[in-house]
């Protein structure tokens, strides 16, 4: 787990400093608001679909380093995925950060997302890491346009 811990630190630092896809999307199909009152993380996520494929994801807003890094990596990871693949990653990611499954068995599938296994050691930060995912999950299901962790 030492490698995962180092990767975690590095990924959080890099993506907090230089978040990917950090901008408004004017022609988005969905705009969703995600709010974590416990920490103050507050973002708007934009998604554009091309049939069953997620063509583009972006976000704007503010929050802690973990939530911002998670949103950044998620936006990159989901581009070009089908809805079904995105659902699979959502399940995998939430299971990893809550320590329900062993990250080592899923490193290849997760890529940089594996770094977030480090969050499982800090239960209060789990909501920061999963906020972007729960919000996007709402978009995939065509449901709520505003998601709060509380
Ligand atoms: Zn947070």
């Amino acid at each position: 787990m030492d490698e995962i811990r180092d990767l975690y630190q590095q990924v959080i630092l890099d993506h907090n400093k230089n978040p990917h896809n950090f901008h408004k999307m004017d022609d988005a199909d969905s705009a969703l608001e995600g709010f974590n009152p416990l920490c103050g993380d507050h973002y708007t996520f934009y998604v554009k679909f091309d049939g069953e494929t997620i063509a583009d994801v972006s976000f704007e807003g503010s929050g802690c380093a973990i939530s911002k890094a998670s949103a950044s990596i998620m936006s990159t990871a989901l581009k070009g995925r089908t809805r079904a693949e995105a659902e699979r990653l959502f399940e995998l990611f939430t299971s990893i950060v809550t320590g329900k499954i062993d990250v080592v068995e899923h490193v290849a599938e997760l890529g940089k997302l594996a770094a977030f296994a480090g969050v499982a050691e800090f239960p209060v930060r789990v909501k920061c890491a999963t906020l972007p995912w729960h919000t996007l999950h709402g978009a995939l299901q065509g449901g709520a346009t505003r998601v709060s962790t509380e």
Side-chain angles (χ1 to χ4, degrees), residues 84-100:
E85 286 168 346
E87 286 281 346
R88 162 77 182 151
L89 272 185
F90 169 79
E91 296 294 338
L92 205 50
F93 185 82
T94 50
S95 298
I96 293 286
V97 297
T98 51
K100 282 184 190 144

Side-chain angles (χ1 to χ4, degrees), residues 36 38-43 62-68 124-129 131:
N36 173 9
L38 281 185
C39 181
D41 310 318
H42 196 178
Y43 299 97
S62 61
C64 67
I66 292 175
S67 63
K68 187 177 276 184
V124 298
R125 311 318 295 272
V126 167
K127 283 179 178 169
C128 301
L131 175 69

